[in-house]
Amino acid sequence: MPNFLKLPLTIILAGTLSGADESLTRQMLAAHNAIRKRVGVPSLTWSTELAAGAQQWADTLLRNGNFQHQSRNPYGENLFEITGAAATPVEVVNDWASEARDYNYKTNSCSAVCGHYTQVVWRDTKEVGCGVAQNQQRQVWVCEYNPPGNIVGERPY
């Protein structure tokens, strides 16, 4: 009998799925919008087009063992990976949002890494789509944002 556990598991977070995948989509969107609500920016909507692209990139990163942003990507992009465990959508977004501690709104500066956070709360971003891929060792999450944020010199909100 083949060992199916060694095959990559792909979970597509698209807007028209049913069951557990639809629940993950709702959780990911709700987690983003909860963080955005804290700073008073409008909620995001889910994009199945962005989710499909994010899923393709998550699959590629998992398959190739890489962890890097896409080159020439017209969208904003957040990446998350975990090894030896799995994360929930809320945990992924909260990890990105934890960078808020390093962002100073008054001076519009960052004391460490805060680009994931500022992309999540970027006022002009309207839609998000995410994908996740995993195998026994590793889980990779990708979210794409349209329009992209993190424009140098501009405040996120």
Side-chain angles (χ1 to χ4, degrees):
M1 181 170 183
N3 184 353
F4 292 105
L5 294 177
K6 291 187 177 180
L7 297 174
L9 170 66
T10 299
I11 303 169
I12 301 172
L13 298 179
T16 59
L17 297 175
S18 61
D21 292 344
E22 185 177 305
S23 175
L24 288 173
T25 299
R26 282 193 310 271
Q27 290 173 38
M28 183 56 87
L29 186 59
H32 274 84
N33 288 333
I35 302 302
R36 292 173 66 85
K37 185 176 182 178
R38 291 183 197 167
V39 297
V41 296
S43 294
L44 297 174
T45 59
W46 190 261
S47 166
T48 56
E49 179 182 330
L50 291 176
Q55 187 62 58
Q56 286 179 337
W57 190 241
D59 290 340
T60 298
L61 292 174
L62 184 70
R63 183 176 53 253
N64 296 338
N66 295 334
F67 190 69
Q68 63 193 36
H69 289 285
Q70 296 181 71
S71 60
R72 296 183 297 276
N73 185 0
Y75 305 113
E77 183 175 75
N78 278 351
L79 305 177
F80 176 91
E81 79 174 331
I82 187 169
T83 56
T88 67
V90 171
E91 291 168 334
V92 171
V93 176
N94 284 345
D95 182 72
W96 294 329
S98 72
E99 296 174 0
R101 70 181 175 272
D102 298 320
Y103 177 68
N104 182 319
Y105 182 83
K106 184 177 179 179
T107 62
N108 192 30
S109 62
C110 186
S111 62
V113 175
C114 56
H116 301 99
Y117 165 69
T118 54
Q119 177 58 82
V120 169
V121 298
W122 198 263
R123 174 181 298 281
D124 293 337
T125 297
K126 306 293 184 217
E127 54 185 0
V128 64
C130 305
V132 59
Q134 73 179 47
N135 58 25
Q136 285 182 308
Q137 295 81 32
R138 183 171 170 240
Q139 185 182 59
V140 178
W141 294 81
V142 177
C143 286
E144 304 287 345
Y145 302 85
N146 186 42
N150 292 332
I151 299 168
V152 175
E154 291 187 21
R155 283 188 165 76
Y157 52 90

